[in-house]
Amino acid sequence: MAFPQLTSYMNSQIHDTDGLPSASTLDSITLGQLKAMVGPLPKPKQSFFDYVYDDEDTVMNEIDEFYSYVEMPQVEENVKAWEGSFISDWTKAPVSQRKAHVELLLESLEHRDAEVRFTNARRLFYVLQGTFVETTSPEHQLHWIFENCKVVRSVNGVSSIVEAMKIASSKHDMLCGLSDLDASHFNISAQEKSDLTDEVVTEIYIYLGMLYHLIEIFKGHDDFADELMSLDPPLPVYLFNVIAGLRDKGVRTYPIKKLLLVLWKTLLTCCGGIRELTRVKKLSRELAGLPPATETVDYIKSSPLDIETFRQETAVKYPTFTPPQQPIFQPVPIVPEPQKISKPVNPPLYSSKLAQAYSPIPVRHHYHHDDDTNIGLHGIPHHHFQPPQQHQQYRPIPQTATPAPSPPPSPKPKKQQYQTDQNRPFLFPFPKGQFGRDARFVPFAINEADQLFNKHMYVSLSLWQMWRTREDCIAAESGLEHMPGDDEFQSSTFTANDPEVAEPLPDIALLGVKIEESMKILETSDSNAEKRKARERKEDLMRLKRVEQIYSAILPGISGWVGVLLKLLLATVSPDRMQGPQSSTSSVFPPGVASPQEQPPAPSPTLDEIDVTRHREVTSKAVSAILLLILKWFKVSHVMKFHQLGQHLLDTNCLLLILKIFGLQEVATSVVSKADAPDHNFFRYCLLNFSRDLHPVRPEDNQPRPSRYTQNKTTILPNGEKHEEEVEYVSEYSWRNFFSAINFAKIMQKLSKGRSHRIWMLVQYKSSAILKRVLRVNHPMLQLHVLKLIKSQVPFCGRKWRQSNMKVITSIYLNCRPDLRDEWLTGSEVDDATDAQVRFSRLNKQSHVPHNVAFRATGARIGIAAPGQVL
């Protein structure tokens, strides 16, 4: 950028009146003068996408995406089946008449005659689609979708449709398992088998459409989630089982996209979305006995692991450093019992205990072990029964205090004459002014740092649950969980009496107790605010209970549905669709070959090509939403559920698959490319082709939305000042592609967070180069999660990478919240990758113990991991 004012100013100051250089020639320009010259220059406006991340798009857009463009002729089949079946206009008929007709249609869904069943199923599907022949606008049609869904649900239509779908699915399983030899035995030709399969698939397609409309309309109702979970099996469990069953069958003709969308909406209904998840996180901390988390955004955290690492490193350098042993908090009992109030169930916890959460279970030696000094009676180490040394003044450190200088090993004594052994500690002088019994002979900065760590310490729910699981496993392996006369031990993983008996676990029993308390408060409360709060708390507790039911039911087939979901995701990866345009300087195009910018523009895609691309995008959106939603809810329920699913995803190469998706597509291009044909969307197609009372379109209805607009953005600086600037927002983008990209970044960050060996795998596949391309999309949430991924890889990258990527490192400093012990730029964790893999391979066996015991009653068995398998 050229500064003409700066040039004229410098030229005017070079010579004085005599033509000789002045005394101020060598003086540089001041910062104030530079600001005064640069200030009037116009600054380029920042550009951001105005995309708002949410659980889903609008209702009309979600229903539009359920239907492919190639399926629009099926809508006409529903209209033909409806003609003549109802006497008067549906929208003018009374509710009782409509309800009676819906009951008649529901009864015929299990009719033996296929023609009668098909015809009535299409009629009912037309009713749930809003009887669009009698509507006048898309909004009018949506209104009648709501009204008709209420009628169908009031006559127990959900369970009838699910039962009809089960019958159709069993027929599909039978036809897919029918071999050619068996078909010839029953005199069924290959063409007849294919026709029967197509009929069954069409029937399943109709039932999935009915369920999707019902779930999309009622997913915000609390009692509707209980209705879906009361089915046998619960609807989300059944849908997961259907997906797992597709592993050994062909999905070429199966309406898999519709099945995924119905499963996604079912999970949103039974578990909840972003807002519900935030409330349940606070509730889970309360149930675990943890203090509430700090709500401030700029809060800096330190974990018990960080505190213990700091204290160990400090104790080596300063042997006189003795940190105060203050308990973190007094944990409450898992299931409060009035008779145990006088006797504390759980002792106070220290950070040193919680820091062992990720440590492997210590090896329990055989009772004939030779080490008699450390082993006491019954083969139990002595240190389990040693009383805590409350009056120990100094921590026992094997090194000596201040060693003498070591002799110079090299022939040049002057160079190392005064150097000490670096393996020995070096003791700084004691600080002045500290005397008496409570004197601490370390520099003041060390005491201040220890206090700072304690002040900002945050015990996460995952760390707490991991520590409890480890303690339960240690007690179970040593046989101490059922000691005679011991009432203090209380396991959160195993049953209180006998693991073989199918009794509710303490965590699940606690949920039942809290739900009963909420119901009593709801009945006795007088004010509306208390009732609303009690109703919200009861619903959040029910969400945790539903997650427990879903997890215990889908755990046996977890490898099946995970494999199918990732195979479907792999099928959406297409280089011809995702490969972005190359620049004219790219090495892909040799000399003499024109680049895409120089070639003639490609012809516009046909409707079939748009439909294929749209189908892939919707499938990718549904799979990413299902995986992210189930990961979040498993983690808020119990961290071991999250680790179990995360391990299966890692074994199926989920991280590398997402990395491949980001590598083959240009995210900055995909988020603005729209694969849509508006006139063939469901609502628009019904209006243009079937509406009898089509209103004339007003000019303002088709007025396009401005693709860009400018708005003032106010930012509060750290010093409290307000900074205003004009920001340009881009409103033209693809909602589902944005949604999928953010979901994929979140899944990668969740699976690799705190796992050095998984991060090292991403580094080996050069993921930072791929992730930096995603940063071109100017959206704060997407950039934040990508920056978190890159931040975790920085310690494993070399100095040369850090020097050439200072812009990315600066963005990490400006956007990612730091921890109190944040050494991601020092590269000190590189050697930890191999040790972490060994550590988590041992923890993997530990993670299977609570699953084998907790879900023995439901038959949910999992095997012990093979050697070398990691979390």
Side-chain angles (χ1 to χ4, degrees):
M1 182 182 296
F3 301 104
Q5 299 177 1
L6 179 61
T7 306
S8 60
Y9 171 81
M10 295 297 293
N11 291 334
S12 63
Q13 298 295 326
I14 291 295
H15 300 281
D16 57 4
T17 54
D18 297 332
L20 297 176
S22 64
S24 61
T25 303
L26 301 179
D27 295 340
S28 60
I29 188 173
T30 62
L31 181 60
Q33 293 172 337
L34 183 61
K35 286 183 177 181
M37 297 170 186
V38 179
L41 297 177
K43 296 181 180 179
K45 296 180 181 179
Q46 289 185 335
S47 178
F48 295 97
F49 287 95
D50 66 348
Y51 171 80
V52 179
Y53 182 81
D54 206 347
D55 294 320
E56 56 183 350
D57 203 355
T58 60
V59 177
M60 295 185 67
N61 290 341
E62 293 291 339
I63 295 178
D64 279 339
E65 291 181 354
F66 183 79
Y67 298 94
S68 299
Y69 296 151
V70 72
E71 298 168 359
M72 287 298 107
Q74 297 282 343
V75 177
E76 188 176 0
E77 295 292 332
N78 299 342
V79 177
K80 292 180 180 179
W82 175 259
E83 291 176 351
S85 63
F86 198 69
I87 302 175
S88 60
D89 291 342
W90 180 267
T91 57
K92 298 178 181 178
V95 178
S96 58
Q97 187 177 358
R98 283 183 275 149
K99 185 180 293 187
H101 190 72
V102 168
E103 288 179 348
L104 181 65
L105 295 177
L106 287 172
E107 289 177 359
S108 60
L109 291 182
E110 300 181 13
H111 201 279
R112 297 180 62 88
D113 191 350
E115 185 177 356
V116 175
R117 188 174 64 250
F118 256 66
T119 303
N120 289 323
R122 288 193 176 277
R123 290 171 179 172
L124 183 60
F125 194 20
Y126 169 77
V127 171
L128 289 173
Q129 286 176 336
T131 55
F132 44 82
V133 174
E134 305 174 20
T135 57
T136 58
S137 64
E139 292 76 13
H140 192 203
Q141 182 183 353
L142 182 63
H143 166 74
W144 278 105
I145 289 177
F146 273 85
E147 294 297 324
N148 296 339
C149 285
K150 292 178 183 178
V151 174
V152 173
R153 187 191 173 194
S154 64
V155 294
N156 199 20
V158 176
S159 60
S160 301
I161 295 171
V162 172
E163 291 300 324
M165 182 180 172
K166 290 180 181 178
I167 297 174
S169 297
S170 62
K171 294 178 182 178
H172 185 266
D173 295 339
M174 182 189 66
L175 289 173
C176 291
L178 189 66
S179 62
D180 295 338
L181 182 61
D182 295 336
S184 61
H185 178 71
F186 291 105
N187 296 325
I188 300 176
S189 63
Q191 184 62 35
E192 291 175 344
K193 179 183 176 182
S194 177
D195 294 341
L196 287 174
T197 304
D198 292 340
E199 290 179 4
V200 172
V201 167
T202 305
E203 191 173 356
I204 294 175
Y205 153 75
I206 294 175
Y207 295 145
L208 287 174
M210 296 179 188
L211 287 175
Y212 185 83
H213 280 262
L214 287 167
I215 296 172
E216 181 66 25
I217 298 304
F218 293 112
K219 65 177 179 295
H221 297 68
D222 298 339
D223 54 344
F224 187 65
D226 295 331
E227 182 178 350
L228 297 182
M229 292 298 295
S230 64
L231 300 175
D232 186 23
L235 185 58
V237 176
Y238 172 71
L239 296 176
F240 272 114
N241 293 336
V242 172
I243 291 178
L246 295 176
R247 184 177 186 178
D248 301 325
K249 297 186 297 185
V251 296
R252 184 178 299 274
T253 59
Y254 197 88
I256 188 64
K257 183 194 78 172
K258 293 176 170 45
L259 179 62
L260 294 174
L261 290 174
V262 173
L263 175 59
W264 172 33
K265 302 298 182 178
T266 306
L267 290 175
L268 279 176
T269 303
C270 297
C271 299
I274 300 174
R275 298 161 189 83
E276 294 79 11
L277 190 70
T278 304
R279 297 199 311 264
V280 175
K281 282 181 181 179
K282 300 177 183 178
L283 183 60
S284 297
R285 290 186 62 87
E286 178 187 342
L287 295 177
L290 296 174
T294 307
E295 299 292 339
T296 56
V297 179
D298 55 347
Y299 181 72
I300 300 178
K301 301 176 182 178
S302 65
S303 65
L305 284 76
D306 297 336
I307 296 177
E308 286 305 305
T309 304
F310 165 76
R311 288 177 174 177
Q312 290 175 6
E313 294 177 355
T314 306
V316 173
K317 299 177 182 179
Y318 307 98
T320 57
F321 174 68
T322 307
Q325 294 296 329
Q326 298 178 355
I328 303 175
F329 59 90
Q330 180 77 27
V332 298
I334 297 178
V335 181
E337 299 182 26
Q339 64 269 22
K340 293 186 178 181
I341 293 178
S342 59
K343 188 176 183 180
V345 177
N346 293 322
L349 278 180
Y350 299 91
S351 60
S352 57
K353 291 286 292 182
L354 286 178
Q356 300 174 1
Y358 292 98
S359 302
I361 296 176
V363 178
R364 185 165 59 93
H365 296 293
H366 194 264
Y367 65 94
H368 285 304
H369 196 264
D370 295 331
D371 190 3
D372 297 333
T373 59
N374 295 328
I375 304 298
L377 295 176
H378 309 290
I380 301 177
H382 281 301
H383 61 80
H384 287 287
F385 300 96
Q386 288 181 358
Q389 300 178 5
Q390 300 291 339
H391 302 288
Q392 183 181 3
Q393 185 174 1
Y394 300 110
R395 177 177 296 188
I397 300 298
Q399 291 87 353
T400 58
T402 306
S406 58
S410 64
K412 299 180 180 180
K414 292 183 179 180
K415 183 178 181 181
Q416 297 184 355
Q417 184 174 4
Y418 299 102
Q419 291 186 359
T420 58
D421 188 0
Q422 298 299 320
N423 297 325
R424 299 289 184 174
F426 182 79
L427 186 62
F428 280 87
F430 294 155
K432 298 180 180 180
Q434 292 190 3
F435 301 100
R437 184 175 180 179
D438 298 333
R440 304 181 65 186
F441 300 103
V442 290
F444 175 75
I446 301 301
N447 289 332
E448 187 181 17
D450 186 69
Q451 295 173 3
L452 199 61
F453 271 109
N454 288 321
K455 178 182 177 182
H456 292 273
M457 186 179 62
Y458 173 77
V459 180
S460 65
L461 181 64
S462 302
L463 181 67
W464 169 254
Q465 292 173 343
M466 181 72 79
W467 178 81
R468 287 202 63 92
T469 304
R470 181 178 183 271
E471 293 295 315
D472 295 343
C473 292
I474 292 175
E477 286 193 356
S478 58
L480 296 177
E481 76 276 20
H482 300 297
M483 293 291 290
D486 187 10
D487 296 333
E488 292 188 4
F489 180 80
Q490 197 170 30
S491 173
S492 65
T493 309
F494 310 119
T495 51
N497 297 322
D498 189 1
E500 300 294 337
V501 180
E503 295 182 0
L505 299 176
D507 288 343
I508 302 178
L510 178 61
L511 285 177
V513 172
K514 295 296 184 181
I515 291 173
E516 293 179 359
E517 292 179 359
S518 300
M519 293 178 65
K520 291 180 181 179
I521 296 174
L522 186 61
E523 294 174 357
T524 58
S525 58
D526 298 330
S527 63
N528 294 330
E530 293 180 357
K531 287 185 178 181
R532 181 183 57 82
K533 189 175 181 180
R535 189 181 299 108
E536 188 177 87
R537 180 180 176 85
K538 172 182 170 294
E539 182 59 30
D540 291 341
L541 290 167
M542 289 298 299
R543 295 181 198 279
L544 287 174
K545 189 175 181 179
R546 293 180 200 132
V547 174
E548 292 280 353
Q549 295 174 357
I550 293 173
Y551 179 77
S552 60
I554 67 177
L555 183 61
I558 187 172
S559 59
W561 56 265
V562 165
V564 172
L565 289 179
L566 294 186
K567 283 183 181 179
L568 294 172
L569 193 59
L570 179 62
T572 63
V573 181
S574 177
D576 57 347
R577 177 180 73 93
M578 294 185 175
Q579 187 68 38
Q582 302 287 340
S583 62
S584 58
T585 58
S586 176
S587 60
V588 176
F589 303 96
V593 178
S595 64
Q597 286 79 2
E598 299 171 2
Q599 293 177 354
S604 58
T606 62
L607 182 63
D608 292 339
E609 293 174 347
I610 293 176
D611 195 19
V612 170
T613 303
R614 182 173 177 265
H615 178 85
R616 289 173 175 173
E617 291 177 356
V618 175
T619 303
S620 177
K621 166 189 172 182
V623 173
S624 66
I626 292 171
L627 290 178
L628 182 61
L629 200 62
I630 205 73
L631 278 172
K632 284 183 175 181
W633 279 106
F634 281 0
K635 188 172 183 179
V636 78
S637 175
H638 200 287
V639 70
M640 303 308 294
K641 299 183 179 69
F642 170 78
H643 286 321
Q644 186 68 22
L645 177 58
Q647 180 60 38
H648 281 279
L649 290 173
L650 188 73
D651 293 341
T652 329
N653 292 329
C654 179
L655 281 177
L656 300 183
L657 177 58
I658 297 177
L659 197 63
K660 182 178 181 180
I661 292 175
F662 282 151
L664 288 180
Q665 72 175 346
E666 188 66 38
V667 181
T669 305
S670 66
V671 296
V672 296
S673 62
K674 291 186 175 182
D676 289 317
D679 289 342
H680 290 80
N681 287 335
F682 173 70
F683 285 98
R684 184 72 176 171
Y685 185 86
C686 294
L687 179 68
L688 296 178
N689 294 276
F690 303 106
S691 180
R692 293 182 305 196
D693 301 327
L694 182 63
H695 289 178
V697 180
R698 297 175 300 177
E700 56 268 18
D701 293 339
N702 292 332
Q703 186 175 1
R705 181 185 179 188
S707 59
R708 294 174 181 268
Y709 62 93
T710 305
Q711 188 175 354
N712 291 331
K713 181 181 178 182
T714 304
T715 306
I716 300 178
L717 301 178
N719 57 1
E721 297 181 359
K722 292 184 178 180
H723 176 68
E724 293 186 0
E725 60 177 345
E726 281 192 353
V727 178
E728 187 180 40
Y729 287 97
V730 181
S731 58
E732 285 292 331
Y733 50 81
S734 173
W735 199 97
R736 57 176 173 266
N737 289 345
F738 241 123
F739 183 76
S740 302
I742 294 177
N743 286 345
F744 287 141
K746 286 187 173 184
I747 292 172
M748 287 187 69
Q749 204 267 336
K750 282 186 176 296
L751 293 179
S752 62
K753 182 180 179 180
R755 301 291 183 268
S756 301
H757 50 287
R758 298 181 185 179
I759 298 171
W760 177 242
M761 179 184 66
L762 293 176
V763 173
Q764 289 177 325
Y765 281 92
K766 311 294 187 206
S767 62
S768 61
I770 299 175
L771 295 174
K772 283 194 299 182
R773 285 165 36 196
V774 185
L775 292 176
R776 299 174 185 172
V777 182
N778 290 329
H779 189 268
M781 179 177 287
L782 180 59
Q783 289 179 339
L784 176 63
H785 287 89
V786 173
L787 289 174
K788 287 181 179 179
L789 282 169
I790 298 178
K791 177 183 177 180
S792 64
Q793 301 177 29
V794 171
F796 301 91
C797 301
R799 183 180 301 175
K800 184 177 180 181
W801 185 93
R802 290 194 283 267
Q803 291 177 350
S804 57
N805 292 274
M806 288 305 298
K807 289 185 178 180
V808 179
I809 292 175
T810 304
S811 299
I812 293 173
Y813 268 116
L814 295 176
N815 296 281
C816 297
R817 183 181 61 185
D819 294 330
L820 197 57
R821 183 182 176 86
D822 214 353
E823 299 179 353
W824 58 278
L825 204 54
T826 61
S828 59
E829 300 178 1
V830 177
D831 298 331
D832 189 50
T834 306
D835 298 338
Q837 184 170 1
V838 177
R839 181 173 68 254
F840 283 103
S841 64
R842 295 175 182 174
L843 281 175
N844 191 31
K845 181 178 179 180
Q846 171 185 333
S847 69
H848 290 286
V849 175
H851 292 88
N852 288 330
V853 177
F855 305 106
R856 183 178 289 118
T858 59
R861 301 268 190 175
I862 56 176
I864 299 299
Q869 191 177 5
V870 296
L871 279 175

